[in-house]
Amino acid sequence: MSIFRRFRRRKKRKTGVVSQGIDSREESLNTSLHADFEENRRIFRDLFTDCYDVIFHPFRVGGKVQAELIYIQNMSNVEELNENVLSPLMLEMTTLGDIQTILEERLPVSSAKRVNTYSDCTRALTMGNPILLIKGADWALDLGINKWEKRAIDEPENEPVIRGPKEGFIESLQTNTSLLRRRIRSPQLKLKSLHLGRYTDTEVVVAYIEGIVNPDILAEVNRRLERIDIDGLMDSGYIEELIEDHPFSPFPQAFTTEKTDAAAAGLLQGRIAILVDGSPEVSMVPVTLPGMLQAAEDYYNRYMPTTLIRWLRYLFFVVSISLPSFYVAMTTFHQEGIPTEQLISFAAARERIPVPSLVEALIMEFAFEALREAGLRLPRIVGSAVTIVGALVIGEAAVSAGLVSAPMVIVVATTGIASFTVPRYALGLPMRFLRFPLLIVSGTLGVVGMILGLITIVVHLCTLRSFGVPYLSPVAPYKGKSIKDVLWRAPWWKMNWRPQEFHTPNSRRESPDLKPGPGRGGEGGDSR
């Protein structure tokens, strides 16, 4: 026991030394720049030791005043630096007292700004912005001339649509925020920036529409983001796990999208978007289960066929989690509930199968998940071919060899197809996970076990909250004005109100008299 105590004390001392070193380094970077030009040069050279791509370019302003330009290769626009910074300053005949006037009024760089601390300078450098040091000045100039390599804006492969906008977010945060601005052209769209990650210093933007968003939810989102203290942030998935209400739930409590129109529509409903630099996935909170079963394309097609498609989606959502369990429970414990002709067919198909239905179903489910994962990880050229050919060949060979029955292959294949109808990939993952424990309880307790498992899932869903919003809202608790966008897709001229579950200050979405028809043009009715 004493050995473990000594180990814990030693570990605490080591952790304390590391955290103290990090805190002291951060404290030193937060200090203001020196008025001593040489001291500033020395500190920056010490900070970027063994960084071959960091360029230190000394020169003289007007041939008199010492200055130094610091930038990172391939992250700064060197052509613009030479043309708009170095050339004007080196040719400018000036004195030390005129430098500030030249930099603020005559330097042809619109995004230049003054920075006063070493941390602001290093942050600007790592974002690709050159830093200009001037002898005699206790400040530096952030020139804001970066040059990032980024991919073209294209249709998201994970959210294809037939009708509707096809542009998607990319890994550049500046591009993503501009795409949002182009969709919502209002000064009420607010973009709050913060930096997370001790080493990555990743920029995160919280987007919302002032006057629509619930101030309490917005304050809670900001509070949870500000408490994050982590060494690095690679994707929005990091943030989702660090700010969710129920960390041990398999269900996602924030839905992600790569579509700009879906993010803009969520903002107009009262949601909050979280954008992370380097990630094309935008996280939207709060989230509800009915909202995750809706696709962006639902609002671009006619409302009557869309309602039918939505009901089919709900049906296949239930099928994707319960069909294998129901089949195993019926064939193992409740044969009397199966029609005689069908029971004889099932018995003939299972005559040579050496394992019970539960083991057979588990084998097929594991094989199907392995094929699906292989199709995702292989190169796209061969991934789809391997998945389709593998499923056909393995399924046929397994039936011929007597390892599994043909009805079980049909059940598993139907379940897999049903799971593909879920529009959000993040929601499909818990369905795949919960299918296995539901199979086990159904194979041991029959239909009673399956019903108990489904009740447990429903009870768990009823207890979930996403930033205080019930996960099953507006179904439970019931919200009458919002139910028209869940049980069916009401026409646009009937969706007068924003979702009630978000408690937005401005709940009115549109004028109440927008129903089209002959003689109904003009002013559009009462706007109260």
Side-chain angles (χ1 to χ4, degrees):
M1 188 69 178
S2 60
I3 296 176
F4 289 108
R5 287 176 181 171
R6 287 198 298 270
F7 174 75
R8 283 197 295 268
R9 285 197 296 268
R10 191 182 305 118
K11 185 176 180 181
K12 287 181 180 178
R13 286 196 298 269
K14 185 182 295 184
T15 305
V17 171
V18 172
S19 61
Q20 183 179 359
I22 292 174
D23 294 339
S24 62
R25 184 169 60 249
E26 290 180 351
E27 185 178 353
S28 63
L29 287 177
N30 286 327
T31 58
S32 300
L33 273 73
H34 293 279
D36 187 349
F37 178 70
E38 295 299 330
E39 180 66 13
N40 289 333
R41 295 179 64 186
R42 184 192 63 80
I43 290 176
F44 279 111
R45 279 171 167 76
D46 290 342
L47 285 174
F48 292 100
T49 301
D50 296 331
C51 298
Y52 83 96
D53 56 339
V54 180
I55 306 301
F56 296 87
H57 181 74
F59 67 100
R60 290 181 179 271
V61 179
K64 297 180 180 180
V65 182
Q66 282 186 290
E68 185 160 74
L69 187 66
I70 309 173
Y71 64 95
I72 299 179
Q73 278 183 329
N74 302 321
M75 291 183 68
S76 301
N77 193 327
V78 179
E79 293 80 8
E80 190 173 351
L81 269 178
N82 293 331
E83 182 179 354
N84 295 335
V85 178
L86 287 177
S87 296
L89 290 180
M90 294 177 71
L91 297 176
E92 187 76 42
M93 301 303 294
T94 184
T95 62
L96 180 60
D98 298 330
I99 289 180
Q100 184 171 350
T101 304
I102 293 173
L103 295 179
E104 293 180 352
E105 299 179 3
R106 297 167 61 182
L107 194 67
V109 179
S110 60
S111 55
K113 63 180 180 180
R114 288 176 56 171
V115 288
N116 299 308
T117 64
Y118 292 104
S119 61
D120 291 338
C121 291
T122 54
R123 175 174 294 171
L125 283 170
T126 53
M127 292 178 64
N129 298 333
I131 291 296
L132 179 62
L133 300 175
I134 305 291
K135 186 175 181 179
D138 59 352
W139 47 267
L141 201 65
D142 175 4
L143 296 175
I145 308 175
N146 55 22
K147 184 180 180 181
W148 292 89
E149 296 295 335
K150 57 186 179 182
R151 65 183 175 95
I153 298 174
D154 203 354
E155 179 181 4
E157 295 184 358
N158 298 328
E159 300 177 70
V161 295
I162 297 176
R163 180 177 180 178
K166 293 178 172 56
E167 66 179 9
F169 293 112
I170 60 174
E171 288 74 13
S172 172
L173 182 62
Q174 290 77 15
T175 302
N176 293 343
T177 54
S178 66
L179 290 174
L180 272 183
R181 285 285 184 195
R182 194 175 73 174
R183 289 279 174 189
I184 303 176
R185 303 172 184 177
S186 169
Q188 301 304 110
L189 174 62
K190 306 300 181 181
L191 302 173
K192 178 185 175 183
S193 174
L194 66 155
H195 291 260
L196 299 176
R198 297 195 197 105
Y199 295 100
T200 59
D201 197 32
T202 307
E203 187 175 7
V204 178
V205 168
V206 179
Y208 60 94
I209 299 180
E210 191 177 41
I212 294 181
V213 69
N214 187 326
D216 295 333
I217 296 178
L218 177 61
E220 183 65 16
V221 170
N222 290 328
R223 187 187 67 81
R224 296 187 190 184
L225 287 174
E226 289 169 357
R227 66 175 290 272
I228 294 177
D229 183 14
I230 192 172
D231 58 353
L233 203 66
M234 298 292 110
D235 186 76
S236 58
Y238 285 45
I239 291 181
E240 291 174 16
E241 288 195 36
L242 291 171
I243 65 173
E244 59 189 1
D245 293 59
H246 305 272
F248 296 107
S249 174
F251 290 92
Q253 291 150 58
F255 80 83
T256 58
T257 181
E258 291 185 49
K259 290 179 60 61
T260 59
D261 58 310
L267 293 174
L268 290 171
Q269 288 179 334
R271 288 188 169 95
I272 299 168
I274 302 175
L275 298 86
V276 179
D277 191 19
S279 173
E281 300 279 352
V282 173
S283 300
M284 307 291 297
V285 294
V287 65
T288 60
L289 181 63
M292 297 194 72
L293 290 172
Q294 299 169 2
E297 201 171 3
D298 292 353
Y299 301 96
Y300 305 141
N301 294 315
R302 298 285 299 167
Y303 62 91
M304 285 183 285
T306 297
T307 300
L308 174 62
I309 293 173
R310 191 172 282 185
W311 274 101
L312 289 175
R313 196 180 294 146
Y314 295 157
L315 172 64
F316 286 125
F317 174 74
V318 177
V319 167
S320 67
I321 189 174
S322 61
L323 181 59
S325 305
F326 181 74
Y327 174 79
V328 169
M330 293 298 293
T331 55
T332 305
F333 295 96
H334 310 283
Q335 294 91 345
E336 68 278 1
I338 304 174
T340 304
E341 294 81 1
Q342 196 65 52
L343 183 62
I344 294 174
S345 175
F346 286 168
R350 284 193 45 79
E351 185 178 3
R352 296 190 303 149
I353 308 303
V355 295
S357 296
L358 174 60
V359 178
E360 181 187 8
L362 289 174
I363 292 174
M364 285 302 299
E365 285 291 343
F366 276 115
F368 185 84
E369 293 298 330
L371 284 171
R372 173 151 46 181
E373 194 67 17
L376 290 174
R377 305 305 163 203
L378 285 171
R380 299 186 185 278
I381 300 176
V382 297
S384 58
V386 168
T387 305
I388 296 172
V389 174
L392 293 175
V393 172
I394 293 177
E396 181 65 26
V399 172
S400 301
L403 297 177
V404 294
S405 61
M408 182 60 73
V409 174
I410 296 173
V411 168
V412 173
T414 304
T415 304
I417 293 172
S419 66
F420 292 142
T421 62
V422 178
R424 305 291 176 186
Y425 178 75
L427 183 60
L429 290 177
M431 295 297 100
R432 293 160 60 182
F433 167 75
L434 293 173
R435 199 179 299 149
F436 292 97
L438 201 60
L439 257 177
I440 294 173
V441 296
S442 301
T444 54
L445 300 177
V447 172
V448 175
M450 186 189 76
I451 293 175
L452 289 175
L454 292 176
I455 290 175
T456 302
I457 294 173
V458 172
V459 170
H460 174 69
L461 290 173
C462 290
T463 61
L464 287 183
R465 296 288 187 275
S466 176
F467 291 89
V469 177
Y471 204 66
L472 293 182
S473 182
V475 178
Y478 179 78
K479 303 288 185 180
K481 292 181 180 179
S482 300
I483 205 71
K484 65 177 67 174
D485 196 25
V486 175
L487 297 183
W488 63 91
R489 207 282 269 173
W492 271 112
W493 43 268
K494 287 292 291 181
M495 290 197 289
N496 303 326
W497 305 96
R498 305 187 201 279
Q500 288 182 289
E501 56 269 24
F502 299 148
H503 301 286
T504 61
N506 179 10
S507 58
R508 170 72 72 178
R509 188 202 298 267
E510 60 186 30
S511 299
D513 190 22
L514 291 182
K515 182 179 178 181
R520 297 186 67 87
E523 298 181 0
D526 188 7
S527 60
R528 288 178 298 174

